[in-house]
Amino acid sequence: MKNSIFLTYIFVVMINISCGQKADNDVHLPKENTFTAELWVADLEIPWGMAFLPDESILITEKSGKLIHFKDGIKTEIAGLPNIYNRGQGGLLDIELHPDYEANGWIYFTFASEEGEEKGGHTSLMRAKIANNSLIDKELLYKASPNTTKGQHFGSRIEFDDDGFLYFSIGERGERDVNPQNISRDGGKIYRLRDDGSIPGDNPFVSDASAKAAIYTYGNRNPQGMAKNPETGEIWIHEHGPKGGDEINIVKKGANYGWPLVTFGINYSGTPITDKTEWRE
């Protein structure tokens, strides 16, 4: 019950913040609150992702590179994480349990990694298990490339669909004119894998030798929210757009969401990006 109250509170706060730009986007809130707020975990520094374990304890990622297990009011730091590239918006990012976690113990997390030949870092996906407050059986499932020293738009969220496929997001890493519209490059994409990191045979670009076969959608800017619709099973994403250009999208196989060719937003300096607000194939 406390988990439900906590998640409801977070959702309402996020809606208030994201919709506060224009009067015509105002959220019509009830006159009386139907919940109360309670401090649940104190003294966190930029918490990014949470996963609720079957025993009602919580795994919490902090962007700086800490993975915390919170149980019975006590925070325990989990050891054995990979090296985390903590720069700008990058660091230790989302965390998600395998749908059959109680049977197999797998947890999945995204993080910025320096692995690769170039300077800087890029978003990675890893799975591991926890034993004695340490990560074991670590498997790197995906590492985006090339690295860059730019500090923005790493993504990243993780979600499983009803068929057990894993989706995760990577932002366009500040290269809006290079990455999002190019399926041979990482960044500005939603990716789809099997739970072991292998590529599903029905991914939209597996037959294109020049494409990254894990890509499921492209033309994304910086998807930092992802959730499964509990009624339809569809994967929904929230994209942080430019000024005035945030979006909520439903993930569709092979879809191009248009960035940066199409957007309602403008540059933060006030200059236009494009006059197009609708994408047609």
Side-chain angles (χ1 to χ4, degrees), residues 96 99 158-167 192-193 202 216 226-229 232-235:
E96 184 77 12
I158 310 168
E159 187 60 86
F160 283 89
D161 69 10
D162 288 336
D163 295 318
F165 291 108
L166 183 155
Y167 298 76
R192 177 179 180 255
L193 300 174
D202 61 346
Y216 200 70
M226 185 180 295
K228 183 181 71 174
N229 185 316
T232 67
E234 294 172 314
I235 302 297

Side-chain angles (χ1 to χ4, degrees), residues 145-219:
S145 62
N147 289 344
T148 172
T149 57
K150 290 192 174 186
Q152 64 264 49
H153 302 175
F154 291 81
S156 169
R157 293 293 176 190
I158 310 168
E159 187 60 86
F160 283 89
D161 69 10
D162 288 336
D163 295 318
F165 291 108
L166 183 155
Y167 298 76
F168 66 102
S169 64
I170 301 180
E172 35 85 309
R173 296 295 282 109
E175 295 282 2
R176 75 181 193 191
D177 297 320
V178 177
N179 290 332
Q181 290 295 321
N182 188 340
I183 60 173
S184 69
R185 293 181 61 89
D186 283 311
K189 315 290 193 306
I190 303 296
Y191 299 78
R192 177 179 180 255
L193 300 174
R194 295 191 181 94
D195 63 351
D196 62 358
S198 60
I199 305 293
D202 61 346
N203 267 14
F205 306 112
V206 290
S207 61
D208 186 338
S210 67
K212 301 276 186 176
I215 292 173
Y216 200 70
T217 78
Y218 63 110

Side-chain angles (χ1 to χ4, degrees), residues 250-267:
I250 299 175
V251 172
K252 301 292 185 182
K253 179 179 178 178
N256 181 355
Y257 291 88
W259 177 253
L261 307 178
V262 173
T263 180
F264 282 93
I266 60 175
N267 289 309

Side-chain angles (χ1 to χ4, degrees), residues 5-191:
I5 294 172
F6 178 74
L7 291 173
T8 301
Y9 171 73
I10 291 295
F11 177 77
V12 172
V13 170
M14 290 175 66
I15 289 294
N16 271 311
I17 292 172
S18 64
C19 296
Q21 297 183 27
K22 295 181 180 180
D24 58 1
N25 285 335
D26 285 347
V27 176
H28 298 288
L29 298 176
K31 293 182 180 180
E32 295 183 4
N33 290 333
T34 58
F35 61 90
T36 58
E38 178 182 353
L39 179 61
W40 196 245
V41 186
D43 301 320
L44 295 174
E45 182 179 346
I46 314 184
W48 187 272
M50 296 183 295
F52 290 87
L53 296 170
D55 63 359
E56 297 188 350
S57 63
I58 314 174
L59 291 172
I60 305 168
T61 63
E62 288 192 326
K63 193 184 82 67
S64 62
K66 293 181 180 180
L67 176 59
I68 296 168
H69 183 211
F70 180 77
K71 183 176 183 179
D72 298 328
I74 298 173
K75 291 187 294 184
T76 301
E77 187 172 347
I78 303 299
L81 269 73
N83 292 328
I84 306 296
Y85 181 63
N86 183 23
R87 177 180 175 86
Q89 297 172 2
L92 182 56
L93 303 172
D94 202 20
I95 188 165
E96 184 77 12
L97 304 183
H98 190 284
D100 199 19
Y101 171 81
E102 290 190 84
N104 60 37
W106 285 118
I107 64 170
Y108 295 75
F109 56 95
T110 49
F111 62 102
S113 169
E114 292 180 274
E115 182 175 317
E117 298 179 358
E118 308 85 7
K119 292 182 179 179
H122 215 314
T123 306
S124 296
L125 171 72
M126 178 174 281
R127 74 173 182 175
K129 299 179 181 181
I130 297 177
N132 299 317
N133 295 322
S134 183
L135 293 185
I136 63 170
D137 298 337
K138 291 177 286 189
E139 297 179 4
L140 183 64
L141 303 185
Y142 199 86
K143 168 63 174 69
S145 62
N147 289 344
T148 172
T149 57
K150 290 192 174 186
Q152 64 264 49
H153 302 175
F154 291 81
S156 169
R157 293 293 176 190
I158 310 168
E159 187 60 86
F160 283 89
D161 69 10
D162 288 336
D163 295 318
F165 291 108
L166 183 155
Y167 298 76
F168 66 102
S169 64
I170 301 180
E172 35 85 309
R173 296 295 282 109
E175 295 282 2
R176 75 181 193 191
D177 297 320
V178 177
N179 290 332
Q181 290 295 321
N182 188 340
I183 60 173
S184 69
R185 293 181 61 89
D186 283 311
K189 315 290 193 306
I190 303 296
Y191 299 78

